Amino acid sequence: MKTIWTSEDEKKFLDLLLERKASAGDGGNFKETCFQEVSDILTALVTRGGPKTVKACQNKWSQLRKTFRVINAIKSVSGWTWNDETGANITPELESSWTAYIKIHKDAKPFKNHGWCHLDVMSQLMPSSIRGAHIFRPSDSSVGLVPFTNNDTMDNTSVSSLVSVSESWDSPPTDPSSKISSLEVDSDNESVDITQVVIMTPRHSRKRTSVAPPSTAPLAKRSKLTSASALDGLATSLSHFGDAIVKALAPVPSDAAITASCRTKAVLRAQALEKDLATPELLALINLLEKDSNAVDVYLALDDDQFCKAWVRMKVDSFCL
């Protein structure tokens, strides 16, 4: 049975985490024991849907953190003014810059003119320095990056410092008073951050250019690493490493060795097949093959007997002139 989260459920969930904020440390990383305590309390209050298991609570926390990062990215956009009631507060004059922004950050769509009821509590729970938020400059449609601080840490809900929230919203809520709250989360599915870096080309040259982040590909869904899988991966890596060493140490035949081998084959072929040549003519052909590597290649490549004999006659006659 799916876990159902109402706005009130989320508020109670965040209040319980706020009471245990000290256990999360500066990075905002709550331990499983903390989620277990919260799960026990919330499950006892469930009126519909499945129980709010530890996994469901961890998934919900990950989702709320993503939404918080989306809003912080909106607040950092030059020329926009965030309002807790009206969100990004996009007026008709700002419509063009908003359209360009949501083409990159589709998950920001619900906050065009709507706030988020959990922003205040999340601001207390999240670290003061937000990692990897995108900066959008409407004037030149470019995207930059907020640099890391030394206090930033990697947690179990994020796999990259350059994060574009992977969840998408189909449409803003129909009831403005309700603001934004997610309704359902499947507790059986793990939540995972997907890294996606977007680089936009400025429409015209400017003295100040955006910082270009290193290109990355979307990361696959992470799975738990067991001892057996770790050993298998290590064995595979060692095998590949061994193959690379063997290839690196294997002797590579030189061009001279290859040419000498081909020349030998050509001379043996001439002695075996060119029976209609007189001895001086055969010697002339062999002399030609000794001196001209291109002639060796052509001679070995000729498969048609008649054509080969015509080529040999031409070369012998020209060589004897």
Side-chain angles (χ1 to χ4, degrees):
M1 183 180 297
K2 289 185 178 180
T3 302
I4 297 178
W5 292 88
T6 64
S7 180
E8 289 301 318
D9 290 335
E10 291 178 339
K11 183 178 183 303
K12 179 64 176 177
F13 173 66
L14 291 176
D15 288 342
L16 291 172
L17 290 181
L18 190 60
E19 294 173 2
R20 295 160 176 80
K21 179 182 177 181
S23 65
D26 295 336
N29 302 319
F30 291 96
K31 298 180 179 179
E32 186 170 345
T33 54
C34 173
F35 284 114
Q36 183 63 65
E37 295 175 4
V38 173
S39 171
D40 293 340
I41 297 174
L42 293 179
T43 298
L45 301 176
V46 169
T47 57
R48 65 192 182 105
K52 292 177 173 56
T53 62
V54 171
K55 192 55 153 182
C57 291
Q58 290 173 329
N59 289 345
K60 174 54 63 175
W61 175 237
S62 175
Q63 183 188 60
L64 293 171
R65 284 165 63 97
K66 291 177 183 178
T67 303
F68 182 76
R69 292 189 183 103
V70 170
I71 293 177
N72 270 277
I74 293 175
K75 293 169 71 174
S76 69
V77 175
S78 176
W80 294 356
T81 303
W82 174 266
N83 184 287
D84 290 343
E85 295 295 328
T86 58
N89 199 24
I90 302 300
T91 61
E93 292 78 12
L94 299 174
E95 188 66 37
S96 60
S97 62
W98 174 257
T99 300
Y101 184 81
I102 61 174
K103 286 182 179 179
I104 306 171
H105 307 282
K106 294 181 174 58
D107 39 305
K109 185 177 180 180
F111 305 106
K112 178 180 180 181
N113 291 113
H114 296 284
W116 191 39
C117 58
H118 303 311
L119 182 58
D120 182 60
V121 180
M122 286 297 297
S123 298
Q124 301 177 56
L125 287 170
M126 292 291 286
S128 57
S129 298
I130 303 302
R131 302 177 293 109
H134 291 286
I135 296 177
F136 178 78
R137 300 181 179 86
S139 59
D140 60 3
S141 299
S142 64
V143 177
L145 295 173
V146 174
F148 274 43
T149 65
N150 292 332
N151 295 327
D152 292 336
T153 57
M154 183 67 70
D155 55 48
N156 63 341
T157 60
S158 176
V159 295
S160 172
S161 61
L162 308 177
V163 178
S164 174
V165 180
S166 61
E167 296 180 1
S168 61
W169 301 73
D170 294 332
S171 59
T174 55
D175 182 8
S177 63
S178 65
K179 300 181 182 177
I180 304 297
S181 68
S182 58
L183 182 62
E184 294 186 358
V185 173
D186 190 345
S187 62
D188 294 331
N189 294 331
E190 294 186 12
S191 176
V192 63
D193 288 353
I194 302 297
T195 303
Q196 184 180 7
V197 178
V198 182
I199 306 173
M200 295 292 291
T201 302
R203 295 179 181 175
H204 52 81
S205 61
R206 304 180 67 86
K207 291 182 179 180
R208 183 181 62 186
T209 59
S210 60
V211 178
S215 177
T216 60
L219 298 181
K221 183 176 180 180
R222 295 177 295 172
S223 59
K224 293 183 179 179
L225 185 64
T226 64
S227 298
S229 60
L231 290 175
D232 289 341
L234 179 59
T236 301
S237 298
L238 290 175
S239 177
H240 292 166
F241 179 76
D243 293 341
I245 291 296
V246 170
K247 291 179 180 179
L249 297 180
V252 178
S254 64
D255 292 341
I258 294 174
T259 302
S261 176
C262 292
R263 185 178 294 111
T264 300
K265 291 179 181 179
V267 171
L268 292 175
R269 177 180 178 180
Q271 296 177 77
L273 299 181
E274 310 305 333
K275 300 295 186 180
D276 55 339
L277 294 178
T279 300
E281 293 176 330
L282 180 58
L283 290 175
L285 175 60
I286 293 176
N287 194 13
L288 171 66
L289 297 176
E290 288 177 342
K291 296 180 178 180
D292 191 342
S293 60
N294 291 331
V296 171
D297 294 337
V298 173
Y299 182 60
L300 292 177
L302 295 176
D303 291 331
D304 185 83
D305 290 341
Q306 294 300 322
F307 189 79
C308 180
K309 288 184 181 297
W311 182 85
V312 168
R313 173 54 59 188
M314 178 188 68
K315 288 295 183 182
V316 169
D317 291 344
S318 63
F319 191 77
C320 292
L321 291 178

